[in-house]
Amino acid sequence: MAGPKGSKYYNIFLKFKVWLENTDQESILGNGKFELLDFIDQFGSLKAAADKMEISYRKAWGMLKDAEEKLGFPLVEKQRGGQHGGNSVLTDDGKILIEAYKELLVEFDEAIYQITKKFFNRVNKK
Amino acid sequence: MAGPKGSKYYNIFLKFKVWLENTDQESILGNGKFELLDFIDQFGSLKAAADKMEISYRKAWGMLKDAEEKLGFPLVEKQRGGQHGGNSVLTDDGKILIEAYKELLVEFDEAIYQITKKFFNRVNKK
DNA sequence: AGTCGATATGTATATCTTTGCATATAGAAA
DNA sequence: TTTCTATATGCAAAGATATACATATCGACT
């Protein structure tokens, strides 16, 4: 969402972010990790998800490990071995989380729309 | 806002952030810089604002410079020299911006309250 | 038993930010 | 004209993050 045409805020956008945090103010799950979970769900493996996101497997694995450690419960059931090397499937907790997050984003988008409009109205009023 | 008592989300918080960004996806003004502006407004100098925030003058100066360069217009009128060394006063633009930002935060807080409640309801439903 | 590919993880390298230190300058007031 | 202190800015040191590289393991299917 940008400021109105012609105003000095025309090329400026109001952005927002939502994430889960623990009591130590550490980020547990944000947009990137939710996206990763979503791709794991869609493609059935951490590797495939990493490829889709164009990040290294090493990085994706680290993201997932970090989130699970901080949450204290697993988000993904990992299987290794087999001719295809293995696979990853979201746990019920993982599924519920990404569903809730998706709906949260929709609601947030709706809420921010009005707020943003008001913001740019205000700063351009003068 | 944390999850409900007894749930596995009890120590987990849903957080959000709002900031202004340019077309290059660079952050222009976020919470820290708004706070800095607010303190400059309250205390009349960049130095005093930096002290209040417990950051170095060097850092505060860099933050302000960065924001002004990216916005393309000044937020603060700086005066140097004089027995007291100088001072800083918000421009009209600067004042309007922090006012708008403050009200934005209030509205955001209200909006997120319901959304957050729903989120934790959802993930704890099962 | 051998193969194959994803999971698993340590370590090193590079990059990006932040912070600190040092130093110059303005200019009103004494 | 000397003093005082905030503004102004470069640069080095330190930290924090990210990225890359290397290497091991597992186990269903041939």
Side-chain angles (χ1 to χ4, degrees), chain B residues 5-91:
Chain B
K5 221 171 181 173
S7 91
K8 67 173 79 168
Y9 291 98
Y10 183 52
N11 287 312
I12 291 174
F13 301 80
L14 191 55
K15 309 279 288 206
F16 73 96
K17 228 183 211 182
V18 213
W19 69 96
L20 295 181
E21 212 174 88
N22 62 17
T23 41
D24 298 335
Q25 316 240 91
E26 296 173 315
S27 170
I28 296 174
L29 263 173
N31 219 36
K33 285 170 188 168
F34 275 110
E35 196 185 1
L36 180 64
L37 290 180
D38 201 24
F39 280 136
I40 292 173
D41 195 36
Q42 280 179 64
F43 301 107
S45 84
L46 185 52
K47 173 84 170 56
D51 289 348
K52 277 285 159 191
M53 288 179 75
E54 297 185 62
I55 60 177
S56 68
Y57 173 82
R58 181 64 182 80
K59 179 173 181 176
W61 177 84
M63 288 164 75
L64 183 57
K65 184 192 158 141
D66 181 68
E68 291 186 327
E69 276 176 1
K70 284 176 180 162
L71 277 172
F73 53 85
L75 297 168
V76 170
E77 236 167 72
K78 302 125 194 162
Q79 196 71 47
R80 60 184 202 167
Q83 182 152 44
H84 303 301
N87 68 294
S88 290
V89 181
L90 292 196
T91 60

Side-chain angles (χ1 to χ4, degrees), chain A residues 18-87:
Chain A
V18 213
W19 68 97
L20 294 180
E21 209 173 271
N22 62 18
T23 42
D24 298 334
Q25 316 238 88
E26 296 172 315
S27 171
I28 296 175
L29 264 173
N31 220 38
K33 285 171 187 166
F34 274 111
E35 195 185 5
L36 180 64
L37 290 180
D38 201 25
F39 279 136
I40 292 172
D41 195 36
Q42 281 181 63
F43 301 107
S45 85
L46 185 51
K47 172 84 170 57
D51 289 348
K52 277 284 160 192
M53 288 180 75
E54 298 186 62
I55 60 177
S56 68
Y57 173 82
R58 181 66 182 77
K59 179 172 181 177
W61 177 84
M63 288 164 75
L64 183 57
K65 184 191 159 146
D66 181 69
E68 290 186 327
E69 276 176 359
K70 285 177 181 162
L71 277 172
F73 53 85
L75 297 168
V76 170
E77 239 168 70
K78 301 127 196 158
Q79 196 73 46
R80 58 184 203 169
Q83 182 151 43
H84 303 301
N87 67 294

Side-chain angles (χ1 to χ4, degrees), chain B residues 85-98:
Chain B
N87 68 294
S88 290
V89 181
L90 292 196
T91 60
D92 286 347
D93 281 327
K95 272 181 198 150
I96 290 166
L97 256 182
I98 62 165

